[in-house]
Amino acid sequence: MFSGKPLKPTFKCYLPPVQTDANKTIEPPLKKLEPTLLSGEIVVNEVNFVKKCITTDSSQDDLVGKLICTNFKVSFIPQDPPQKQRTQLFHLLLGEHDIPLTCLDQVVAVNDLKGKKKILSSNQKLKFNPTELILYCKDLRIIRFCFDEAGPESARKVCLAIAHYSHPADIQLLFGFEYQGRRYHESKEERLSRSTQRGALQTPFFDCSTDWDREIKRTSASEWRVCSVNLKYAISPSLPEHIVVPTSLADQDLMQYSSFCNDGRIPMWCWSNRNGSALIRMANITDLQQQRKIEQRIFTAIRKSHPQNSDATTLELDKNLPTIQEIHSAFAKIRQICVLDPFEETEERWFSSIENSRWLDYVRVFLRQSAEIVYLLEGKSVSVILQEEEDRDLNCIVSSLVQLMLDPHYRSITGFQCLVQKEWVMAGHRFLDRCNHLKKNDREECPLFTLFLDCVWQMMNQYPAAFEFTEAYLTVLSDSMWIPLFSTFLFNSPKQRTQLLTDFAKNKAIPQGENPAVFFPAVWEWSQQFSIKDQTLFNNPMYVGKGSACVQNGEVKSFRRTKKVFSSTLRATTTQQSNGLKGNGERRRSSLGSELRSDFSVVKDESPSDRFFRDWFSQPVDQHGVLIPLLMPSHVALWKLFFLRWVSEACIPNGGPITAYHKLSQLVDEIDILQSQLRQYKGSSLGSTRLPSPGAPPSSQRRMYFKASSPGRR
């Protein structure tokens, strides 16, 4: 019986009509959407007429196009990409809508009509046709695709393909092994040009004795030597082949001691202070019966390496710092607050939720522990041994932060990369497991390197002129963990790296003896990801380089790293530049007992460590000396660029830190132009009657991304 309701059409056109005039409508030709593929990259599945949801509250900005899964990435190609000004770095290997498969944390298929949702993994079946795909990414992005206009079977297949290829069964199935093998044979000219560019600015890999020798000489560690007892990983698979040990320890003794240490990890030198104290790291001694005997011999050798023959202090970080599980839990909570449910509560409750996640607490704990070690090395001039069960997690964070606070070399771009290479990559941090690249064991996953970068950002935020690099550099470095094309963050240990790259070279017919840095480069070769111009965004315009002058109390002074004598009495100071901190210029003091006091009062029964910190904060900061962070909760902030960059509500159009960076960069570039012109004038001969016309350096040689116009042209 006819119900009186209009019949629904049995066919739906998936192509929008194009109106040509008032009386005529024609169907448009379908624009061919082809992905940009790297060498060795292949398309494994794709689906058309997919909608990428840009905002949650409106579909006005949504894009329609093709969703593609390759053996490297998930790629979306808009049918009509919006013409917008570029607001981010232009990546040479990834498009604006590309996500590396290793960056995917969860792949979730949704059917809104049936109210079904499923987290997909490799080789799983999907019993319903998805209407939506949600990708949760490790760089904190959440990306939604809708299949309202797409074929249901094609949508289901592309979801399963993404889930399958984001869960590789073996590390050698990561796309980097295919890409770098092909690239080696296809880019001989580029490889030759890169080899000629290698020089003083190259980041050392610490895979040879000469790199360690240079570091010993740089830090004047005369009582330490490079030892090759672990050649071919004879005593430990997780230590580098060359390590630095006290000169009084013979190779034979080290081989004997290694059998009693966890994973054979004998004590390894990290850094030496100018006063002779040294920073050492080691794993626990597993043989409890031999523990005291072995420790006594090792500690005696370390004591002999000190110019005053002082005993070393041992710190068991496992007992003082959060566990791996606690750190992972805190990160999951702050991620939920910042990314999954941003700003759904009032401002006060949102900040309380951030605090309750404990992530910022853990940042403070690691900074505080590192500051205590700075006191021991600098204030008491004693050597410090960092001890951890495996010496591959917490020790990496603390040893790096201590050196960052004490040595200005590590605050330069090259020095910081040297620090990461030495204390993380070659020290055997398990990047493969902690990043969970193969998605095999979630319990092993932990964002320890992210925690370290957050600690570094806190120091940069407090001392903005002391670091050569920017927070954009730290963010890009963090993102690079999820791009499996570089060797830096792929492996669990130096031995695993050596074995896999040796097999890789054989399989790809790479000549025997070729340097692995050539055929499987590290992430430090930024030219593979960014143009020379975009790399200038890594340069901090406020950085005070060595020998740079500053104005202090009306006098021009140069920053030099001089030896400080920390007295037991307070040196009174009234300058608001005290401690050189970014902020409101208030006078502050720190102590190990209370972490930080906001007054100058001398506490009764003040400990030597309290006196050290109080005295340090009473001095104008030396940008090339010791840096100690403020540790009160109000001084440790949320790293917004990292946690909130994908949250549109948190972005400030035409404002925020990037605007300040823009203006500072233009100012610094103008100063560079004036200095260049001044040098040209001074370089002209005194007898010449006509001075050369000064000009700005070529744009390619200028170190700031945002350029100033030449002052002479104004």
Side-chain angles (χ1 to χ4, degrees), residues 155-168:
R156 189 175 65 84
K157 286 182 178 179
V158 80
C159 289
L160 292 173
I162 292 171
H164 176 75
Y165 281 89
S166 63
H167 290 73

Side-chain angles (χ1 to χ4, degrees), residues 56 76-77 82 134 170 233 248 250 255 270 278 302 333 370 394 492 498 557 580 591 630 642 669 698 708:
T56 56
F76 177 78
I77 308 174
I134 306 176
D170 185 80
Y233 307 99
S248 60
M255 293 184 68
C270 301
I302 294 173
K333 290 176 183 177
S370 303
L394 307 180
N492 277 336
T498 300
K557 298 182 178 181
S591 83
L630 292 165
F642 178 80
D669 190 59

Side-chain angles (χ1 to χ4, degrees), residues 448-630:
L448 292 170
F449 191 69
T450 301
L451 178 64
F452 165 65
L453 294 180
D454 199 333
C455 291
V456 175
W457 179 83
Q458 301 293 338
M459 294 187 62
M460 290 173 58
N461 192 44
Q462 295 183 20
Y463 302 99
F467 294 83
E468 185 183 15
F469 45 87
T470 60
E471 65 172 327
Y473 168 84
L474 293 181
T475 308
V476 166
L477 181 59
S478 172
D479 290 346
S480 297
M481 280 194 292
W482 317 119
I483 303 176
L485 306 181
F486 310 101
S487 63
T488 308
F489 303 122
L490 276 190
F491 306 108
N492 277 336
S493 66
K495 181 179 181 180
Q496 186 188 46
R497 174 182 180 271
T498 300
Q499 287 180 336
L500 287 173
L501 293 188
T502 300
D503 295 342
F504 165 75
K506 290 179 181 178
N507 295 336
K508 299 299 180 182
I510 295 172
Q512 189 175 3
E514 179 69 276
N515 188 344
V518 174
F519 61 78
F520 212 122
V523 73
W524 316 126
E525 292 200 22
W526 293 111
S527 58
Q528 292 202 28
Q529 297 190 64
F530 304 103
S531 67
I532 297 298
K533 180 182 178 182
D534 278 1
Q535 288 178 58
T536 57
L537 284 170
F538 299 165
N539 299 331
N540 177 14
M542 291 189 287
Y543 176 61
V544 179
K546 269 193 174 180
S548 298
C550 73
V551 177
Q552 197 173 86
N553 296 335
E555 297 181 12
V556 177
K557 298 182 178 181
S558 293
F559 287 117
R560 291 195 308 270
R561 191 180 184 204
T562 56
K563 186 174 182 179
K564 282 186 178 179
V565 178
F566 295 94
S567 65
S568 59
T569 58
L570 174 64
R571 297 171 186 166
T573 176
T574 58
T575 174
Q576 289 192 344
Q577 294 178 354
S578 182
N579 73 20
L581 296 171
K582 174 184 174 184
N584 58 10
E586 293 178 0
R587 297 175 296 177
R588 303 180 176 101
R589 292 297 176 271
S590 177
S591 83
L592 290 177
S594 63
E595 293 185 301
L596 190 76
R597 291 190 302 271
S598 58
D599 56 66
F600 280 99
S601 58
V602 178
V603 178
K604 185 179 179 181
D605 299 328
E606 186 177 42
S607 68
S609 61
D610 290 348
R611 192 181 311 123
F612 169 85
F613 286 100
R614 181 168 55 82
D615 194 41
W616 187 90
F617 278 100
S618 71
Q619 311 291 325
V621 73
D622 178 0
Q623 306 289 341
H624 286 277
V626 177
L627 291 185
I628 299 172
L630 292 165

Side-chain angles (χ1 to χ4, degrees), residues 136-155:
Y136 296 92
C137 304
K138 294 182 179 180
D139 62 3
L140 306 189
R141 279 182 290 178
I142 300 176
I143 302 173
R144 293 174 58 239
F145 298 103
C146 291
F147 302 121
D148 296 340
E149 309 297 328
E153 184 65 18
S154 298

Side-chain angles (χ1 to χ4, degrees), residues 386-430:
L386 304 179
Q387 197 162 7
E388 184 191 7
E389 182 179 0
E390 293 185 350
D391 181 34
R392 301 172 71 178
D393 291 316
L394 307 180
N395 274 1
C396 296
I397 300 177
V398 174
S399 64
S400 301
L401 290 176
V402 170
Q403 293 172 70
L404 200 70
M405 294 177 187
L406 285 167
D407 194 336
H409 169 66
Y410 296 126
R411 298 172 215 150
S412 66
I413 293 177
T414 303
F416 185 76
Q417 294 175 173
C418 165
L419 181 67
V420 173
Q421 191 69 31
K422 177 168 66 83
E423 297 299 329
W424 291 82
V425 180
M426 296 311 293
H429 180 66
R430 294 184 293 173

Side-chain angles (χ1 to χ4, degrees), residues 654-667:
N654 302 317
I658 187 61
T659 302
Y661 179 83
H662 180 203
K663 299 299 182 184
L664 280 169
S665 298
Q666 288 182 320
L667 180 61

